[in-house]
Amino acid sequence: MANPSLLILAGDGIGPEVMAEVKKIISWFDAKRGVTFDVSEGLVGGCSYDAHGTPLTDETMARAQEVDAVLLGAVGGPKYDKLDFSVKPERGLLRLRKEMDLFSNLRPAQCFDALADFSSLKKEVVAGLDIVIVRELTSGVYFGEPRGIFVEGNERVGINTQRYTESEIARVARSAFELARKRNNKVCSMEKANVMESGILWREVVQEIHDKEYPDVELSHMYADAGAMQLCRWPKQFDVIVTDNLFGDLLSDMAAMLTGSLGMLPSASLGLPMANGRPKALYEPVHGSAPDIAGTGKANPIACILSFAMALRYSFGMGDDATRVDKAVEKVLADGVRTADLMGPAGGTPVSTAQMGDAVIAALNASL
Ligand code: IPM
Ligand code: MG
């Protein structure tokens, strides 16, 4: 059988630095576990614009469609703020999501024991937190038509459209129910059915799919604003949250911050199965390109490393090895190894991006 294939798109800012640590882990799997990945690399975001005048070339898009999984670092930076909307770095990422049809975006928010003090919330509220937000990623207001800035009378009007079809809601609902069955069997769906027709339809379809196909899973519904409040008040009441593209963008940033460590959280964006049975997939850290610290060796590579672990789990059927990587990260944190973002008020000496990667490799070696 052919080796599993990966396309690495490290992107902008700290993307290449954190991805360098993932490459060490990929080499570790080759050397120590006999798993060889066929790795190719490409450009996305501002670096692609600089080289080719577009945030994603057709060739790179085509390559992304062929491989078993895409690993992405981060895109964007102040250098690109003034670019035309159509060539902004973010458009490269949105094109990948849309054309690969990555409708189900899994964003775990997990509080590592060693870091429970870092949250802005009380320790007892977040300690042991382990939830996943399933965000719809290819539709809704991010892509709905009509959109644009138009002239109406003597002023301009900015328009975006929230649009969801039943099948779009149904497929992301199914992915949330499937995930819940492997976890604590609870799904909470969030929308604004009190003010939006798309929210009414969302609630109805999620309920129908539940009743017909997943009656064993516990389902609740919340308005997204109340859901945001509950996420702050007592996040441990949730297991899996399923929500639309825009609410998912907001709620997942909030959930991430609960854990006190945006630099730690991975994500998986999954689509339909390909001919080989693997889902179309892109893995990326939740954090952005952090241009303020790019090139300083301060970035925390853990989110990117854990994103690779998600690839092992969801694309390559290597759940045990994914757990091995997760545990290696936990061990390193428990041992007190900290990048600059994880320095508490007590201070201490932070390790560099590369030293953190090396510590994870050492923990992986110890796991054999
Ligand atoms: C995210 C980001 C993106 C989004 C941006 C970079 C386009 O905020 O992945 O959450 O809005 O989806
Ligand atoms: Mg976001």
Side-chain angles (χ1 to χ4, degrees):
M1 225 176 73
N3 290 333
S5 56
L6 283 172
L7 172 63
I8 292 188
L9 304 174
D12 305 321
I14 61 171
E17 293 161 57
V18 294
M19 196 60 83
E21 303 314 305
V22 172
K23 289 184 197 164
K24 287 182 189 166
I25 295 184
I26 293 172
S27 306
W28 183 88
F29 271 92
D30 191 8
K32 299 290 171 73
R33 300 284 299 148
V35 185
T36 306
F37 293 92
D38 280 338
V39 179
S40 49
E41 295 199 49
L43 300 177
V44 68
C47 58
S48 174
Y49 177 81
D50 288 339
H52 303 296
T54 167
L56 186 73
T57 62
D58 292 344
E59 293 74 52
T60 305
M61 185 66 240
R63 181 75 191 134
Q65 297 281 19
E66 279 163 20
V67 292
D68 294 322
V70 178
L71 296 181
L72 191 136
V75 295
K79 182 175 164 199
Y80 307 106
D81 281 352
K82 295 230 157 58
L83 286 185
D84 187 72
F85 183 73
S86 64
V87 289
K88 277 199 186 298
E90 292 77 9
R91 303 311 302 171
L93 177 56
L94 292 170
R95 181 176 176 200
L96 282 164
R97 290 175 179 172
K98 186 68 179 175
E99 291 191 22
M100 293 171 75
D101 202 15
L102 305 172
F103 61 88
S104 177
N105 178 212
L106 314 186
R107 298 192 161 187
Q110 210 191 336
C111 185
F112 292 83
D113 285 345
L115 302 178
D117 282 324
F118 280 74
S119 176
S120 46
L121 298 188
K122 291 193 195 90
K123 188 168 178 172
E124 64 266 27
V125 177
V126 296
L129 179 70
D130 177 10
I131 64 177
V132 181
I133 297 192
V134 178
R135 167 188 177 192
E136 200 292 325
L137 202 59
T138 51
S139 185
V141 76
Y142 270 60
F143 297 98
E145 300 281 347
R147 66 183 297 166
I149 300 177
F150 305 95
V151 176
E152 242 179 56
N154 57 4
E155 65 173 354
R156 290 177 303 158
V157 47
I159 297 182
N160 290 91
T161 302
Q162 166 84 337
R163 181 179 190 278
Y164 270 106
T165 64
E166 288 185 274
S167 52
E168 286 168 341
I169 301 167
R171 65 183 188 170
V172 74
R174 284 193 185 95
S175 76
F177 289 128
E178 292 290 337
L179 180 66
R181 275 184 177 164
K182 294 186 204 131
R183 295 173 44 93
N184 296 318
N185 220 34
K186 257 176 29 177
V187 172
C188 180
S189 170
M190 296 188 187
E191 29 52 23
K192 286 281 288 176
N194 50 347
V195 286
M196 299 166 78
E197 285 79 1
S198 62
I200 296 177
L201 186 69
W202 182 281
R203 188 175 283 223
E204 279 176 17
V205 173
V206 171
Q207 188 68 50
E208 271 166 34
I209 297 290
H210 169 268
D211 296 352
K212 282 196 202 121
E213 301 173 32
Y214 301 93
D216 52 299
V217 179
E218 188 186 317
L219 171 66
S220 59
H221 302 273
M222 267 184 207
Y223 298 139
D225 53 346
M229 183 269 282
Q230 290 295 341
L231 258 178
C232 285
R233 192 184 69 83
W234 191 243
K236 286 187 248 183
Q237 70 188 282
F238 298 111
D239 177 25
V240 173
I241 292 172
V242 63
T243 189
D244 77 11
N245 204 342
L246 184 60
F247 293 140
D249 184 40
L250 305 180
L251 293 169
S252 65
D253 261 26
M254 197 171 98
M257 202 54 228
L258 296 180
T259 70
S261 45
L262 200 50
M264 306 275 305
L265 296 175
S267 77
S269 303
L270 306 175
L272 296 169
M274 298 183 282
N276 61 12
R278 292 175 175 146
K280 278 267 166 74
L282 179 149
Y283 300 87
E284 58 176 319
V286 169
H287 64 67
S289 60
D292 51 323
I293 59 163
T296 64
K298 282 190 190 155
N300 182 351
I302 290 181
C304 204
I305 290 172
L306 293 177
S307 298
F308 177 65
M310 288 186 93
L312 295 176
R313 178 167 285 117
Y314 293 109
S315 284
F316 301 120
M318 295 170 63
D320 290 347
D321 279 302
T323 305
R324 184 192 294 279
V325 176
D326 292 346
K327 291 260 178 280
V329 166
E330 257 174 63
K331 161 127 198 344
V332 162
L333 292 172
D335 289 348
V337 182
R338 301 276 186 272
T339 39
D341 56 309
L342 303 178
M343 284 285 125
T349 313
V351 300
S352 68
T353 311
Q355 286 169 327
M356 180 59 98
D358 292 342
V360 174
I361 295 281
L364 283 172
N365 282 330
S367 80
L368 290 176

